[in-house]
Every structure is written in structure tokens, then in C-alpha cells.
């Protein structure tokens, strides 16, 4: 994820060279982050299929069972959201027009970003995940990202109203569909993949992690070969 964020911060000024377009770029980045962040829930809900694809492409027999395999799985799921995360701050700094006071404004921007990171991690860890669960928290934040992106695009006024409505509706539809069909099974799928020869009895997500209770057969090796 950190590598993808670094790459996104490098690519952002190379892709969008016109400073007057950086605020538009920030809006599109937020929309993209919301949509791709929501698709991580879809990927986790179908983790077995994603693992099989990674195994076929990389040749790693059981990706979840090795460090290299877990790295590959993480890259597949988080690469695009990481690029969007990394591109956000360069887009925001590039949108600063008054270069005579750029140092002060960039300092304020970095301060707000740091405070937001701290507040976000505390809010998600202590409030949202225990109350809503990880998958619903991700989907809620995806909606927030899409809303912020659309507001920025409305503010710049360079995107047509019809096109903007279409983008917002399509992005919202993706999140709603994922929330309706994939979110309930995402956490369960991850738990099942960790203990493939057992039956999940109970699961609870909390501040310090996810606790699962599984019924494991007395001889899982024989169960696997049955």
C-alpha cells in the first residue's frame, strides 16, 4: 500500500501538468478512491476466487500460505486505491495558485492532512469498526470520498452537469450494489479462508482485531482429502 501511495504521488504531477487542473484532478481522485475502495470489499467477499487468479498468474500454489503470495494478494486488492491515496496530496498542493504564500499554505495543508490522518485512524478504530464492522466502515468512507469528489467538481464548474450527475449516480450505484451483495460476506469469507477445513460459528469485530469461533473437525487432513 505504501509503495502504491508513493507511486501515485509521483505520477500525479506527471499526468496532470496544468496547475489549473489540479483541483479537478483532486475531485476525480476522490471519486476514484471511493469506487476502488468499495471494490476492495467485493474482492474480499470473493477472496477464494482472487486467490485462485493470483495463483494462476504467479504460480504460487497457496498465496495465503506464503509471504510472497500474501504480498501479491495485497497488491491486487489495494494497488489502485493506494495510487488514488498517493495522488490526493500532490493534487491538493498543486491546486495552490498564490505562489507568493505557497510555503505557508502548503504547511497549513500538511498540518490539516496530518490532523485528519490522526483523527481518522482514531475514529475508525475506536468508533466505526466496533459499531459498524470493517466492511460497512469501508463502504461508508467510500460514499464520503465520492461525495467530496463530486462537490469539488461542482465547485470548479468545468464538468457538465449531466456528466457529473451520471458519474455520481454510477459511483453511488457501485457502492450500493457492493454493500447489498458483497459486504455481508466479506468478513466471513476472510475468516473461512484462514481456516478452510472448519465451520464458522461466531465472529465479532472489535478495536483490537476480529475474533472468530470455528468448529474444526478432529482430523482436518482427512477432511481435506475426503
Amino acid at each position: 500500500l505504501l509503495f502504491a501511495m508513493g507511486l501515485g504521488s509521483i505520477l500525479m504531477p506527471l499526468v496532470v501538468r496544468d496547475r489549473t487542473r489540479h483541483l479537478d484532478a483532486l475531485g476525480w481522485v476522490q471519486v476514484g478512491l471511493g469506487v476502488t475502495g468499495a471494490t476492495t470489499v467485493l474482492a474480499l467477499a470473493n477472496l477464494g476466487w482472487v486467490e485462485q487468479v493470483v495463483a494462476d498468474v504467479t504460480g504460487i500454489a497457496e498465496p495465503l500460505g506464503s509471504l510472497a503470495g500474501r504480498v501479491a494478494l495485497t497488491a491486487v486488492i489495494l494497488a489502485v486505491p493506494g495510487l488514488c491515496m498517493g495522488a490526493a496530496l500532490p493534487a491538493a498542493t498543486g491546486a495552490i495558485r498564490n505562489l507568493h504564500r505557497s510555503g505557508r499554505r502548503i504547511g497549513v495543508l500538511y498540518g490539516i492532512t496530518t490532523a485528519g490522518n490522526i483523527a481518522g485512524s482514531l475514529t475508525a478504530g475506536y468508533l466505526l469498526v466496533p459499531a459498524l464492522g470493517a466492511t460497512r466502515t469501508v463502504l461508508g468512507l467510500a460514499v464520503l470520498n465520492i461525495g467530496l469528489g463530486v462537490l469539488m467538481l461542482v465547485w470548479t464548474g468545468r464538468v457538465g452537469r449531466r456528466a457529473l450527475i451520471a458519474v455520481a449516480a454510477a459511483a453511488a450505484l457501485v457502492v450500493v450494489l457492493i454493500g447489498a451483495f458483497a459486504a455481508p460476506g466479506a468478513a466471513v469469507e476472510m475468516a473461512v479462508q484462514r481456516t478452510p477445513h472448519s465451520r464458522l460459528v461466531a465472529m465479532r469485530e472489535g478495536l483490537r482485531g476480529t475474533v472468530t469461533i470455528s468448529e474444526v473437525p478432529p482430523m482436518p487432513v482427512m477432511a481435506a482429502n475426503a
Side-chain angles (χ1 to χ4, degrees), residues 85-226:
M85 291 179 191
L89 188 57
T93 56
I96 295 175
R97 303 287 182 86
N98 190 346
L99 299 181
H100 296 290
R101 297 182 179 179
S102 60
R104 179 183 179 85
R105 295 186 178 187
I106 290 174
V108 170
L109 178 62
Y110 271 73
I112 294 173
T113 301
T114 303
N117 287 336
I118 295 171
S121 62
L122 292 176
T123 302
Y126 283 87
L127 296 178
L128 297 181
V129 172
L132 303 176
T135 54
R136 290 186 179 88
T137 297
V138 171
L139 291 175
L141 294 176
V143 172
L144 180 60
N145 284 124
I146 293 171
L148 287 174
V150 171
L151 285 177
M152 289 180 187
L153 294 172
V154 170
W155 187 22
T156 60
R158 293 181 177 176
V159 181
R161 182 175 297 180
R162 291 183 180 179
L164 197 55
I165 292 174
V167 169
L173 180 62
V174 169
V175 176
V176 169
L177 290 177
I178 291 174
F181 295 102
V188 174
E189 177 68 13
M190 287 187 288
V192 169
Q193 288 294 325
R194 284 196 295 267
T195 54
H197 307 305
S198 63
R199 184 177 68 86
L200 184 65
V201 177
M203 181 179 65
R204 183 173 181 178
E205 295 174 295
L207 174 61
R208 293 179 175 84
T210 301
V211 178
T212 60
I213 300 175
S214 300
E215 181 180 347
V216 182
M219 301 185 71
V221 175
M222 292 183 64
N225 296 325

Side-chain angles (χ1 to χ4, degrees), residues 1-130:
L1 179 60
L2 291 176
F3 177 80
M5 291 175 64
L7 184 60
S9 66
I10 293 172
L11 292 176
M12 173 61 210
L14 298 177
V15 174
V16 184
R17 296 180 179 273
D18 186 354
R19 295 179 64 87
T20 62
R21 295 286 183 178
H22 278 200
L23 195 58
D24 299 85
L26 181 59
W28 288 114
V29 164
Q30 291 297 321
V31 173
L33 178 57
V35 174
T36 57
T39 57
T40 62
V41 175
L42 182 62
L44 293 175
N46 298 275
L47 189 58
W49 178 80
V50 176
E51 184 182 12
Q52 184 60 51
V53 171
V54 170
D56 293 339
V57 173
T58 63
I60 301 173
E62 295 184 3
L64 283 175
S66 65
L67 178 60
R70 289 194 294 271
V71 169
L73 279 172
T74 303
V76 168
I77 296 173
L78 296 180
V80 179
L83 288 172
C84 292
M85 291 179 191
L89 188 57
T93 56
I96 295 175
R97 303 287 182 86
N98 190 346
L99 299 181
H100 296 290
R101 297 182 179 179
S102 60
R104 179 183 179 85
R105 295 186 178 187
I106 290 174
V108 170
L109 178 62
Y110 271 73
I112 294 173
T113 301
T114 303
N117 287 336
I118 295 171
S121 62
L122 292 176
T123 302
Y126 283 87
L127 296 178
L128 297 181
V129 172

